[in-house]
Amino acid sequence: MKISIIVTIKKEVLDPQGNVIQQTLKNMGFKSIKSVRQGKYFDIELDETDKKEAKKVAEEISKKLLANLIIEEYKII
């Protein structure tokens, strides 16, 4: 089973990389950009057929390795 996990910086945490990307886009002529938040995207293939078990594994992977829960949040899709 394939799972996807998106990790992003929490809204209340400053995102300097997102700010640099936003400013660069504006400098390139994309004047309508209001904000940019950067993150990480993971595709993980599991040897699992049960959706509940796959989600449980994805939760554990996210909490233990992929996301710094102090400043980041994650979504499993």
Side-chain angles (χ1 to χ4, degrees):
M1 177 175 290
K2 183 177 176 182
I3 58 170
S4 298
I5 302 170
I6 299 171
V7 178
T8 55
I9 295 176
K10 292 179 179 179
K11 300 277 186 225
E12 60 272 11
V13 177
L14 294 176
D15 183 359
Q17 285 182 299
N19 291 340
V20 169
I21 294 166
Q22 177 183 350
Q23 188 58 50
T24 302
L25 288 169
K26 286 187 176 199
N27 293 344
M28 293 172 67
F30 297 99
K31 302 297 183 197
S32 63
I33 303 293
K34 288 179 72 173
S35 71
V36 175
R37 304 287 290 177
Q38 66 89 34
K40 302 175 274 190
Y41 177 84
F42 301 92
D43 275 333
I44 300 173
E45 190 77 30
L46 296 174
D47 187 17
E48 185 62 62
T49 55
D50 183 85
K51 284 187 177 186
K52 285 184 180 181
E53 186 61 29
K55 183 167 173 107
K56 181 179 170 186
V57 171
E59 290 278 345
E60 193 171 345
I61 290 168
S62 298
K63 289 177 182 175
K64 288 187 174 181
L65 178 67
L66 301 182
N68 176 347
L69 298 179
I70 295 169
I71 62 168
E72 295 175 317
E73 55 194 8
Y74 64 90
K75 180 172 27 172
I76 299 167
I77 52 175

